[in-house]
Amino acid sequence: SVLILVCGFVSTTAAVTWTSTPSFKAATTPGRTIVVISDLHLGLGKNANNEWYVTEDFRWPKAFKAFLDDISTMGSQKVDLIIAGDFLEMWQIPVDILCKGASANLGCTIDEMKILATRITKAHKQVFKGLRDFSQKGNNRLYIIPGNHDSSLLIAAVWEPVGKALEVKKGRVNFVKTGIWKSADGTIVVEHGHQIGSEANRYDTWPNIVQASGGKEYIIRPWGEQFVQKIFNEQENNYPVIDNLSPESAGIRYRMADRGVWGTGEDIAQFVSFNLFQTSLRQKVQILGDEKSPEDKPKWDIPKARGQGHRLFVAALPQDDPFRAGLLGDSEQAEKTKLELDALAKDDKRLPDENVKMLCEQAEIRGNSICKTPELGATMEKLLVPREWILASHLRQRKAEFPEMRYFIYGHTHLLEVAWQPDSKSRVKVLNSGAFHRVIDEKGFLLRVNAKSIKPEEGLKKIAVEELPPCYTFVLIPPGKEPMVSNWAMEESSQTGSIVEPGANICK
């Protein structure tokens, strides 16, 4: 499960280290192949009856082992495999680990997270063995970047069982404590993506994720984690694929169609924002003037837009969005949500100007001129880019840190994204590695729903994870070539798999 809103990044040095973990240093031997995967979300595995827990997303150890063997052979055993965050699923806590926390913002203790990490390594022995064997072949190397779901790996005690399972003392595995991996020449930069902006999963003190309270240390819990634990974890027993849909907000919309809105006014306000920004991330839309140039960006009246309060969010939502209908109602929950959105609209820290611009753009696309629209001639064209507003400031900072950067790769959203260039000045191309477990887009989900002659909300209950396409996404960078997004396609019952292009029939 993931949540994403957008804008800035805080980088500090890691608060903890583990002495058995070698310092990160990219391999420098020539002719290396780079492979980026992310978002495996290894969880609790199987129960005492040898059945997968409903919350377990990674049920594909044979396909993964075949993938590792294939890329190792293809790269002549000179492969840098980067796991770009959310390797482990540490937000879905078993009932016997209490994690009472000290407050809503301070969750599990370090000891509780170590217990969970140990259980996950035991639950996925095949996966850890496959990674360990891969890292020790030829001149292969494995790099693990922490994400928001496995941020606890930044803590020495929590990383320890994982490091032991991977045999890090042999020096073939690196844990990237800063959260940012770069190639030896600095041209390729990789991170998870949850720190891009003021988003729901962001840690303000990243990568320091521990805070003391009452003489005890706790893991900081961002709002995104609270939302996932409150909503997704509770819903997955009834809606097994709710967090396998891409975008994630689609699953929540269909669940709402089935059982109505839930949560506090603050939760709903946060999710309305999340839903809108996921839309902006997916849509390649820009409103252009007569010149039809990407540089002709509208100059929205930001103070006026903020003054609209909750009406700005309503104007940006599609007519058929269930949140829109809820916000226009007069229930007590709707009134509380409007007040929360009014406050959010005025808060330039929680809702930076770049986010307001995207809301204005979404509203304009839907025919709601609520932000004092500039002169646009008669043209409203759908081309590449409000995602530019999401990533531009982040890329500027990364470019300052890594002047040679030409490619920026991230995960987190579970949305595979081919190379695109958000800023013509920096000339940095952006790619997203998607998720290395079974994910389906809304179009594919609706095709399956229609084939079963059921409603989408019923599909959330009746479609099993095993029915989703047997495809796992990644970014491949052969020596001296451009990065490309690809799929590893393989049924778990098969003996072999193959690399296929995005859009291949088996992945639809």
Side-chain angles (χ1 to χ4, degrees):
S1 303
V2 306
L3 300 179
I4 185 166
L5 302 178
V6 289
C7 227
F9 181 84
V10 175
S11 180
T12 64
T13 56
V16 293
T17 60
W18 187 40
T19 54
S20 297
T21 308
S23 299
F24 163 64
K25 187 176 182 181
T28 56
T29 52
R32 300 189 66 80
T33 295
I34 296 173
V35 177
V36 182
I37 63 176
S38 69
D39 298 271
L40 285 74
H41 291 276
L42 301 180
L44 294 170
K46 293 183 177 182
N47 61 23
N49 297 322
N50 202 36
E51 298 170 336
W52 292 109
Y53 284 105
V54 175
T55 55
E56 180 59 64
D57 283 321
F58 199 88
R59 309 178 183 189
W60 334 109
K62 292 180 182 177
F64 188 55
K65 173 65 164 56
F67 168 74
L68 295 175
D69 290 343
D70 190 80
I71 61 171
S72 183
T73 300
M74 177 181 58
S76 302
Q77 297 185 355
K78 292 193 294 184
V79 180
D80 290 331
L81 175 61
I82 300 107
I83 301 180
D86 288 359
F87 174 35
L88 306 189
E89 176 50 73
M90 304 186 77
W91 282 9
Q92 294 177 328
I93 313 297
V95 293
D96 61 316
I97 299 179
L98 298 180
C99 278
K100 291 182 178 179
S103 66
N105 299 321
L106 297 178
C108 302
T109 65
I110 292 172
D111 287 343
E112 287 169 332
M113 284 290 93
K114 181 176 181 177
I115 292 170
L116 180 57
T118 302
R119 287 192 188 177
I120 292 173
T121 60
K122 291 180 178 179
H124 292 278
K125 289 181 180 178
Q126 286 178 273
V127 174
F128 281 90
K129 182 181 185 302
L131 285 168
R132 184 174 67 241
D133 292 347
F134 165 85
S135 71
Q136 294 174 18
K137 285 181 181 177
N139 199 22
N140 289 343
R141 294 290 185 274
L142 172 63
Y143 300 88
I144 298 175
I145 297 172
N148 51 305
H149 282 250
D150 57 8
S151 62
S152 296
L153 294 179
L154 286 160
I155 301 164
V158 181
W159 166 254
E160 185 175 1
V162 176
K164 286 181 178 177
L166 294 172
E167 295 185 2
V168 298
K169 290 184 179 180
K170 293 192 175 180
R172 310 300 291 268
V173 178
N174 279 267
F175 182 63
V176 186
K177 302 181 187 73
T178 62
I180 305 169
W181 181 93
K182 74 174 184 68
S183 58
D185 62 4
T187 60
I188 301 165
V189 173
V190 183
E191 63 184 277
H192 180 57
H194 64 291
Q195 289 296 115
I196 299 176
S198 54
E199 69 117 275
N201 300 292
R202 186 177 184 276
Y203 293 83
D204 290 336
T205 55
W206 180 264
N208 182 5
I209 55 138
V210 175
Q211 185 174 319
S213 177
K216 201 169 189 177
E217 289 187 317
Y218 296 89
I219 312 299
I220 294 171
R221 183 163 53 190
W223 177 84
E225 180 178 352
Q226 298 172 46
F227 183 84
V228 166
Q229 291 174 339
K230 190 186 306 180
I231 304 301
F232 281 102
N233 296 358
E234 293 176 1
Q235 301 297 319
E236 215 162 353
N237 284 324
N238 296 319
Y239 305 94
V241 296
I242 189 171
D243 64 345
N244 295 86
L245 265 67
S246 177
E248 197 171 43
S249 53
I252 295 182
R253 281 191 280 107
Y254 293 133
R255 184 269 178 211
M256 286 175 57
D258 187 42
R259 294 179 60 187
V261 179
W262 74 94
T264 65
E266 182 178 5
D267 286 336
I268 295 171
Q270 289 265 30
F271 184 74
V272 168
S273 300
F274 161 56
N275 182 36
L276 283 167
F277 291 119
Q278 277 213 337
T279 300
S280 291
L281 279 169
R282 287 183 296 124
Q283 289 185 345
K284 298 179 179 180
V285 176
Q286 183 172 20
I287 300 171
L288 304 180
D290 289 334
E291 298 297 320
K292 300 183 181 181
S293 165
E295 270 66 46
D296 293 341
K297 299 170 187 171
K299 294 180 175 60
W300 307 111
D301 188 332
I302 301 300
K304 179 182 177 181
R306 291 189 184 278
Q308 299 293 334
H310 69 272
R311 291 182 293 276
L312 175 61
F313 294 87
V314 171
L317 286 165
Q319 286 287 334
D320 60 351
D321 193 295
F323 277 116
R324 190 176 194 278
L327 286 171
L328 292 174
D330 57 4
S331 67
E332 181 180 353
Q333 188 180 50
E335 292 304 316
K336 288 181 179 178
T337 303
K338 289 174 188 175
L339 291 174
E340 292 289 348
L341 289 172
D342 288 342
L344 182 60
K346 295 175 183 177
D347 191 333
D348 61 4
K349 291 183 178 178
R350 288 196 296 155
L351 191 74
D353 287 352
E354 288 82 359
N355 300 38
V356 176
K357 291 175 185 176
M358 283 188 292
L359 289 172
C360 289
E361 185 174 65
Q362 290 289 334
E364 185 66 31
I365 289 166
R366 305 187 197 291
N368 302 314
S369 298
I370 199 170
C371 305
K372 193 179 180 181
T373 310
E375 302 267 334
L376 294 177
T379 308
M380 184 188 296
E381 295 200 3
K382 292 189 175 183
L383 296 176
L384 181 68
V385 198
R387 292 175 300 172
E388 171 200 348
W389 287 336
I390 297 171
L391 286 164
S393 62
H394 191 65
L395 290 180
R396 282 195 296 271
Q397 181 175 342
R398 287 288 167 268
K399 190 71 173 176
E401 296 173 74
F402 309 105
E404 303 302 318
M405 180 176 72
R406 293 179 55 214
Y407 302 101
F408 177 78
I409 302 170
Y410 70 113
H412 184 48
T413 68
H414 296 189
L415 295 167
L416 186 69
E417 189 171 56
V418 299
W420 66 290
Q421 187 172 305
D423 183 352
S424 59
K425 293 180 181 179
S426 70
R427 297 185 179 179
V428 174
K429 291 184 178 179
V430 175
L431 301 92
N432 191 298
S433 52
F436 209 93
H437 67 261
R438 295 195 184 187
V439 176
I440 190 169
D441 63 19
E442 193 168 2
K443 181 179 178 182
F445 173 71
L446 292 176
L447 284 173
R448 283 163 174 75
V449 163
N450 293 334
K452 292 177 179 287
S453 299
I454 56 178
K455 294 180 179 179
E457 49 267 34
E458 287 297 309
L460 285 185
K461 302 175 185 177
K462 295 182 178 180
I463 294 177
V465 176
E466 286 80 3
E467 294 180 62
L468 302 182
C471 292
Y472 313 93
T473 61
F474 64 102
V475 174
L476 172 64
I477 313 172
K481 294 187 178 180
E482 297 270 316
M484 62 188 81
V485 296
S486 302
N487 283 283
W488 176 250
M490 179 176 165
E491 292 283 2
E492 192 65 6
S493 58
S494 300
Q495 297 302 313
T496 59
S498 59
I499 295 175
V500 299
E501 294 183 358
N505 287 333
I506 191 174
C507 300
K508 293 182 179 177

